[in-house]
């Protein structure tokens, strides 16, 4: 699944995707539903959710969840997978258990995004932003494991 928010500066892309603590955006509403389904099916399946957060700015990919700023970040690149799809290999993946954890993660990642002033918006983001949710599930009855494809949420500036 992939959801894009695209438009001119100041049209509400970030608000639509992120929202506020009182009025959640698409990212959080989707995760809330994933957590609800996970809990509802917990007697037959075990779900694990992981969040990654990337920024593309000046043709460079930055991992927004890297905590150790004393060491240079590893270079992230877009590569073609064996299935023929394009992907960024090696971003940080943080396991999350509830929506509040996601809110805190994405708030901290949002704080390190590249911003700059434009005529339309004083604190406009000058980058493209991707939130990636990876979901895996284990069938408790069949004792099998499945890594589901990821959900991508893009805010394009």
């Amino acid at each position: 699944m992939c959801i894009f928010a695209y438009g001119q500066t100041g049209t509400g892309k970030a608000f639509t995707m992120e929202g506020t603590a009182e009025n959640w955006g698409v990212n959080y509403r989707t995760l809330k539903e994933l957590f609800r389904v996970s809990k509802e099916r917990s007697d037959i399946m075990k779900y694990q959710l992981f969040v990654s957060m990337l920024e593309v700015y000046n043709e460079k990919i930055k991992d927004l969840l890297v905590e150790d700023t004393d060491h240079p970040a590893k270079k992230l690149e877009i590569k073609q997978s064996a299935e023929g799809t394009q992907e960024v290999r090696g971003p940080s993946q943080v396991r999350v258990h509830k929506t509040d954890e996601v809110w805190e993660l994405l708030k901290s990642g949002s704080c390190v995004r590249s911003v700059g002033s434009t005529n339309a918006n004083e604190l406009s983001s000058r980058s493209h932003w991707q939130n990636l949710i990876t979901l895996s599930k284990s069938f408790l009855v069949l004792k099998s494991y499945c890594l589901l494809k990821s959900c991508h949420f893009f805010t394009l500036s």
Side-chain angles (χ1 to χ4, degrees), residues 27 44 51 65 79 81 92 120 123 130 132 146 153 156:
N27 295 345
I44 58 170
V51 172
L65 297 181
K79 299 286 185 182
S81 71
S92 300
L123 293 175
Q130 177 190 16
L132 173 65
C146 176
F153 300 90
L156 303 178

Side-chain angles (χ1 to χ4, degrees), residues 25-43:
V26 173
N27 295 345
Y28 307 106
R29 291 171 193 245
T30 302
L31 280 159
K32 184 178 180 181
E33 181 64 11
L34 287 172
F35 286 120
R36 186 194 67 75
V37 169
S38 173
K39 185 176 180 181
E40 182 180 278
R41 298 178 183 171
S42 63
D43 56 336

Side-chain angles (χ1 to χ4, degrees), residues 51-63:
V51 172
S52 299
M53 192 171 175
L54 303 173
E55 170 186 69
V56 180
Y57 180 68
N58 286 340
E59 299 185 26
K60 292 188 176 130
I61 302 170
K62 178 180 177 182
D63 188 333

